[in-house]
Amino acid sequence: MWRPLPVASRLATALAVVGTWWCRGRGRLAGVEPGAPTLERPWRRTWAHVPKRSAGADFTRADYAAARARAREVARATLGDALWAQLQRQGYLDVPSTLQPGVIYRLRVGRRIEVRCAPGVRSPWPAPYLCINPTYPLPEEEFFAHLYLYVRDREDIVRRIAAPQPWDQALGRTF
Amino acid sequence: MGRLIVANRRGHQVLEWPDTDTEEARQQIALAERIIQEARAHGALVSKKVDGQHVLDRAPFDPQVEEYQIVAPIAGG
């Protein structure tokens, strides 16, 4: 015969279920098992309708705070401790061009890339700032780490897609 | 333990696979490989951790790599 559980027992059962779900979601993958958090694959969606500097209408303040905290953690892991410390100390990272000696890309979190040239070196662009955004919303520190990888390892892509701009500005697809 | 970091608006989400030769490990590895293939097909790049730092990588998926990351596609403007 079914009987309602005492309150404490029901609470313990509920906590155990939530705990199991949480551990499973964290340690394995999101999206594999029923009930686990879904892994968001942002390349599967279109984001053109999402306003600039936003992650979408379904995002709460708590979501933004959690996303930024996780982004900081992974950006640091991506760059490594030495570069991360340098970024925190000086507020930017300079990446020398491997395609054109004398050209330096100055990267700052959430901003356009500043192109700096040594005396006598001509910039490949008509304006000093390059606007490059992720194709889906990302926390700005996370995208900073991605942009650093692009500039350092795939400068050819950066040169192909960068939009030169005459002034500095916050990026539109990061938050 | 290998891991794949999927950067998204949540900051990131992580898929991990154990070093052991188990069915669970094989499933996780197969899933990681599918996610990387899918992301690359949509214009994303992939980085892997080498000597404590990530580098962009064009090689096929290797489950022995300590850590992979999906790097967002970029657009000008």
Side-chain angles (χ1 to χ4, degrees), chain A residues 92-162:
Chain A
Y92 61 85
L93 290 179
D94 281 344
V95 185
S97 169
T98 55
L99 300 177
Q100 187 177 351
V103 170
I104 289 174
Y105 301 95
R106 177 161 290 184
L107 277 62
R108 291 153 306 145
V109 174
R111 312 294 300 186
R112 291 172 172 168
I113 297 173
E114 182 183 358
V115 181
R116 300 168 70 89
C117 297
V121 175
R122 185 172 177 176
S123 171
W125 292 281
Y129 294 96
L130 303 179
C131 190
I132 298 175
N133 276 282
T135 59
Y136 41 77
L138 285 179
E140 55 189 18
E141 283 184 318
E142 189 134 24
F143 182 61
F144 177 89
H146 288 194
L147 199 53
Y148 180 87
L149 296 180
Y150 271 103
V151 173
R152 188 194 63 191
D153 299 347
R154 293 301 306 272
E155 186 185 350
D156 57 317
I157 296 176
V158 171
R159 288 199 170 215
R160 195 170 66 242
I161 64 109

Side-chain angles (χ1 to χ4, degrees), chain A residues 3-169:
Chain A
R3 290 184 186 185
L5 293 168
V7 172
S9 177
R10 272 184 287 169
L11 183 60
T13 303
L15 287 173
V17 169
V18 170
T20 303
W21 172 84
W22 175 250
C23 292
R24 206 168 50 200
R26 276 172 61 91
R28 304 191 37 157
L29 179 224
V32 175
E33 298 177 12
T38 304
L39 175 74
E40 190 167 285
R41 304 186 200 188
W43 52 85
R44 288 182 165 181
R45 291 177 51 182
T46 59
W47 298 92
H49 64 287
V50 175
K52 283 186 175 182
R53 310 281 301 162
S54 167
D58 58 330
F59 242 51
T60 65
R61 281 189 183 186
D63 289 333
Y64 279 107
R68 288 182 177 124
R70 281 194 291 268
R72 193 173 182 81
E73 178 192 322
V74 80
R76 179 177 188 156
T78 303
L79 295 173
D81 287 339
L83 282 174
W84 180 257
Q86 191 180 343
L87 173 65
Q88 299 309 306
R89 193 169 58 248
Q90 61 187 23
Y92 61 85
L93 290 179
D94 281 344
V95 185
S97 169
T98 55
L99 300 177
Q100 187 177 351
V103 170
I104 289 174
Y105 301 95
R106 177 161 290 184
L107 277 62
R108 291 153 306 145
V109 174
R111 312 294 300 186
R112 291 172 172 168
I113 297 173
E114 182 183 358
V115 181
R116 300 168 70 89
C117 297
V121 175
R122 185 172 177 176
S123 171
W125 292 281
Y129 294 96
L130 303 179
C131 190
I132 298 175
N133 276 282
T135 59
Y136 41 77
L138 285 179
E140 55 189 18
E141 283 184 318
E142 189 134 24
F143 182 61
F144 177 89
H146 288 194
L147 199 53
Y148 180 87
L149 296 180
Y150 271 103
V151 173
R152 188 194 63 191
D153 299 347
R154 293 301 306 272
E155 186 185 350
D156 57 317
I157 296 176
V158 171
R159 288 199 170 215
R160 195 170 66 242
I161 64 109
Q165 303 288 344
W167 60 82
D168 187 22
Q169 188 171 294

Side-chain angles (χ1 to χ4, degrees), chain B residues 37-56:
Chain B
Q37 284 175 348
E38 182 185 303
R40 279 177 163 155
H42 285 81
L45 300 186
V46 172
S47 68
K48 69 178 178 185
K49 199 170 189 177
V50 178
D51 297 330
Q53 198 179 57
H54 272 259
V55 293
L56 292 179

Side-chain angles (χ1 to χ4, degrees), chain B residues 11-24:
Chain B
H12 63 273
Q13 290 170 293
V14 177
L15 167 67
E16 293 178 331
W17 57 92
D19 290 332
T20 52
D21 184 20
T22 61
E23 182 58 30
E24 181 194 26

